[in-house]
Amino acid sequence: MSDFAVLEVILKRNLSYLGICAVLLAAMIIGRWRLGVGGIERSLKRQSWGLNTLLNFTIYGGQEKDLDDALALVKRYEGILDRNPPALLGQLNLRKTEQIGEELASLISRSRQVGLLTGGALDITLGRAVELWDFGGHPRVPDGDELAEAMKGTGWAHLSVKGDRVRFDNPFLKVDLGAVAKGFVADRLKDFFLKRGIRAGIIDLGGNVLTFGTKPGGKPWVIGLRDPFGSSRSVALWTFRGDAALVTSGVYERGFEKDGLWYHHLLDPRTGMPINSGLRAVTVKSDRAELADALSTAFFVCGRVKAEVLIREHFPDVTVVFFDERGRGSAVGRDVSELSWR
Ligand code: ADP
Ligand code: MG
């Protein structure tokens, strides 16, 4: 082979080598663009206010428009779930309509099931008592007589659901969905994001967290459980993969102090007074945020001993963290091994 031919072969080899390098480089650039800095798929975040709480959305693989539309969906649900008119539930409460559509009627019906299974610990018929306490507005301790009046004829026995109709046998009874609304909306938001082709995300409605899909890079979700005394410190980390909802009911969330006493927003369905069940907070993990929300309220109200029986008998797929009055946490249920205490 002449020197010239050798040179030509080397040049050709180098050229094809260069070509491969160029293709690899292009693939890396495209890949990096798709995956974002650090090899993690680009996430979009949005913070807003809705459902009387701070909303935080993180989505992987979507667009700003998806977040705009998700917030519009939250608004739509506010227009259905609020206890007061013009919301649909508000119209039901004023007896302006009985026919409330399948979506709201079935939410009330599912809440009824959880209410009955938990012996009435979850009771959405406490609307008038919730109104008197006005925790989200200008909280005050109601006078004993007015509370007794508001509690008259409350309870699941006074409400029935048939198809898309809700009927009451007490003309004054009002439904309040504060205990389940955020969970319900979180599930709807997840369905919405999945329909938009978003692969993964975190829907955080005031600390009630729902994760869906697989985090880019295959890393697990790590969710901190807040200090039950209300500081922003995490007292435990919950590490898991895939879809789950973690919902907390606690005394620090909504409440006020009067004459040295702390009044919180989780009410005893027998009296309409803040319940003292020996707990500071309860966190429930479930596949569905609505169930986690319903049960976090119900378990807080019925207390740990009864909650453990209910978990065994009716809700074997949930995992629950109980924080007692001294703030000590302990867990029961299927996924306890995912928790690490700090
Ligand atoms: P948060 O809304 O702060 O996340 P919860 O899901 O536990 O907390 O819901 C508490 C809300 O539910 C209260 O603010 C009130 O509107 C309503 N509520 C209070 N006590 C009960 C109860 N025993 N059953 C059903 N709803 C209740
Ligand atoms: Mg709840």
Side-chain angles (χ1 to χ4, degrees), residues 169-240:
D169 73 359
N170 166 352
F172 305 109
L173 190 145
K174 283 189 182 178
V175 169
D176 172 81
L177 290 174
V180 293
K182 281 184 274 175
F184 169 78
V185 174
D187 288 333
R188 301 289 78 74
L189 286 165
K190 169 180 157 180
D191 293 345
F192 166 80
F193 284 135
L194 288 176
K195 265 198 208 129
R196 285 284 172 96
I198 290 153
R199 280 185 293 280
I202 308 177
I203 298 160
D204 177 346
L205 310 180
N208 290 348
V209 176
L210 181 154
T211 65
F212 64 95
T214 303
K215 209 171 164 181
K219 285 197 181 148
W221 303 109
V222 182
I223 309 291
L225 296 195
R226 252 178 71 184
D227 173 15
F229 289 97
S231 82
S232 56
R233 201 168 61 92
S234 293
V235 293
L237 294 180
W238 210 317
T239 307
F240 58 92

Side-chain angles (χ1 to χ4, degrees), residues 112 125 152-160 167-170 173:
R112 186 169 196 276
T125 71
K152 256 191 205 159
T154 59
W156 286 109
H158 303 281
L159 176 160
S160 62
R167 289 216 169 111
F168 307 103
D169 73 359
N170 166 352
L173 190 145

Side-chain angles (χ1 to χ4, degrees), residues 16-31:
S16 59
Y17 176 70
L18 275 176
I20 291 168
C21 283
V23 169
L24 283 177
L25 195 69
M28 276 170 66
I29 290 169
I30 290 169

